[in-house]
Amino acid sequence: MSDQFLFATEVFFNGLMAGVLYALVALGFVLIYKASGIFNYAQGVMALFAAMTLVGIMQGQVPFSHIINAMFGTEVHHFGWHVPALLAILLTVGVMVIFAWLVQRIVMRHLVGQEPIILFMATIGLAYFLEGFSDLMWGSEIKKLDVGLPQGGSFWIEDMTAGLGSDNFYGFFIDQLDIVATVIAAFLVAGLVLFAQYTKQGRAMRAVADDHQAALSVGISLNFIWVLVWSVAGFVALVAGIVWGTKSGVQFSLSLIALKALPVLMLGGFTSIPGAIVGGLIIGVGEKLFEFAIGPMVGGATENWFAYVLALLFLVFRPQGLFGEKIIERV
């Protein structure tokens, strides 16, 4: 096989892995949109907050230490112990559940029956509040996240594929973290699909999405469903925050991964969990192959805009996405 074909194949597989990471973020958007019809602008910041909370708990950091020290003239930053990764993850899940309950009590329950644009604006405000709150709670410096996930190139894959090409081809380089993320995403998607389709809470979630008032009239607790779906979205945000934080460090640019999820949602559909995965894979593979094949001809940097151009084409020709529901309104 030619080296050019092998390099393209390596780019393809790395694109698949990148697409899984995009899809993890998009899943949080889909969950909340399916349950409430809300496009949650705060999903990316939720991933940031979850990752920062996890790092803070693992390192035994004192929350709001900067404010406490400024007010009382102390120099307290850590409790003096470190929390094991698994226990820290469980505690962070608890924090995200509390966050979901507070969102429902303070924000969402007052907006029942409001127009979608009102709900969307509420999530924008929530995003900026949560970003500032994260800064106050854990500090703004870049943090290293290590929960024991393998990182670096997979030497097994490199050795296995090294003999396919010429002496200039040393084998496929695929990050072990991307492989683990793919496995995690597969189990997560399977679990979410089963939950949405075959559980009482999942069916209630879909009913709430169709019509808030009708759901209330048949005895569905809107408060419970919103706490549930924001909790699940918070868990998905934690998973995405762990993967992205392990890959590139926990920093405030982590919240910008939500922008990468927008084209994924436009391709897959805002109401489809499998669509989020398929859309993520299309974006991941497409941008990598486009950069590999066309990038050198136009000066590179095509990954920055390829996904949005592709999403724009979908908006023009198939606005509901590949798996989204086509809504027909009769006037």
Side-chain angles (χ1 to χ4, degrees):
M1 286 184 282
S2 67
D3 287 354
Q4 193 73 3
F5 175 78
L6 291 171
F7 283 130
T9 305
E10 179 184 353
V11 170
F12 173 83
F13 281 110
N14 278 285
L16 284 178
M17 304 301 157
V20 169
L21 299 183
Y22 298 154
L24 278 175
V25 183
L27 277 174
F29 286 98
V30 171
L31 284 170
I32 291 181
Y33 192 84
K34 281 176 69 70
S36 58
I38 302 172
F39 178 78
N40 179 26
Y41 185 84
Q43 186 66 31
V45 184
M46 286 171 61
L48 167 69
F49 176 71
M52 293 185 71
T53 301
L54 177 59
V55 173
I57 293 175
M58 289 180 64
Q59 296 179 351
Q61 184 177 344
V62 178
F64 306 104
S65 59
H66 298 288
I67 297 177
I68 294 173
N69 293 333
M71 292 178 60
F72 300 102
T74 56
E75 290 292 335
V76 177
H77 295 284
H78 294 84
F79 290 110
W81 64 73
H82 290 266
V83 179
L86 181 58
L87 178 58
I89 290 173
L90 294 176
L91 292 174
T92 306
V93 170
V95 171
M96 298 309 292
V97 171
I98 294 173
F99 167 77
W101 180 80
L102 290 174
V103 167
Q104 189 278 326
R105 292 288 297 177
I106 299 174
V107 181
M108 304 312 301
R109 72 169 182 162
H110 301 291
L111 299 177
V112 175
Q114 295 292 329
E115 294 294 324
I117 187 62
I118 301 297
L119 299 172
F120 173 63
M121 293 301 294
T123 66
I124 292 178
L126 179 64
Y128 283 103
F129 166 79
L130 189 59
E131 187 169 340
F133 186 79
S134 301
D135 191 1
L136 291 175
M137 189 172 184
W138 302 113
S140 58
E141 65 275 5
I142 299 176
K143 299 175 175 62
K144 181 181 179 181
L145 176 59
D146 183 8
V147 296
L149 296 179
Q151 299 183 62
S154 176
F155 297 109
W156 177 76
I157 293 177
E158 289 183 66
D159 294 340
M160 185 180 67
T161 57
L164 296 177
S166 68
D167 293 337
N168 295 323
F169 185 76
Y170 301 102
F172 294 163
F173 178 87
I174 299 178
D175 197 317
Q176 296 180 75
L177 178 61
D178 293 339
I179 298 174
V180 172
T182 302
V183 175
I184 292 173
F187 280 104
L188 191 60
V189 171
L192 291 174
V193 170
L194 292 174
F195 171 78
Q197 297 294 330
Y198 299 107
T199 66
K200 180 180 178 181
Q201 291 79 10
R203 292 190 292 270
M205 187 176 70
R206 298 202 307 273
V208 169
D210 290 337
D211 192 318
H212 296 171
Q213 300 297 337
L216 285 171
S217 68
V218 296
I220 295 176
S221 173
L222 190 61
N223 293 334
F224 171 76
I225 292 300
W226 272 357
V227 170
L228 174 65
V229 74
W230 279 82
S231 297
V232 175
F235 175 73
V236 173
L238 172 60
V239 175
I242 289 174
V243 174
W244 280 92
T246 301
K247 192 177 185 69
S248 57
V250 179
Q251 52 190 313
F252 276 84
S253 62
L254 185 64
S255 62
L256 300 179
I257 58 176
L259 299 179
K260 205 67 174 187
L262 296 181
V264 173
L265 295 169
M266 293 174 190
L267 264 66
F270 281 84
T271 59
S272 173
I273 292 175
I277 295 297
V278 174
L281 296 179
I282 292 174
I283 292 294
V285 172
E287 68 179 14
K288 298 294 185 184
L289 288 178
F290 193 85
E291 175 69 26
F292 175 76
I294 307 298
M297 304 179 189
V298 296
T302 61
E303 289 187 43
N304 295 329
W305 53 262
F306 172 83
Y308 299 97
V309 173
L310 185 60
L312 180 60
L313 293 175
F314 265 77
L315 286 176
V316 172
F317 296 104
R318 189 178 173 83
Q320 74 271 24
L322 294 173
F323 297 90
E325 301 172 358
K326 187 174 183 179
I327 300 174
I328 300 175
E329 294 184 356
R330 293 177 174 86
V331 180

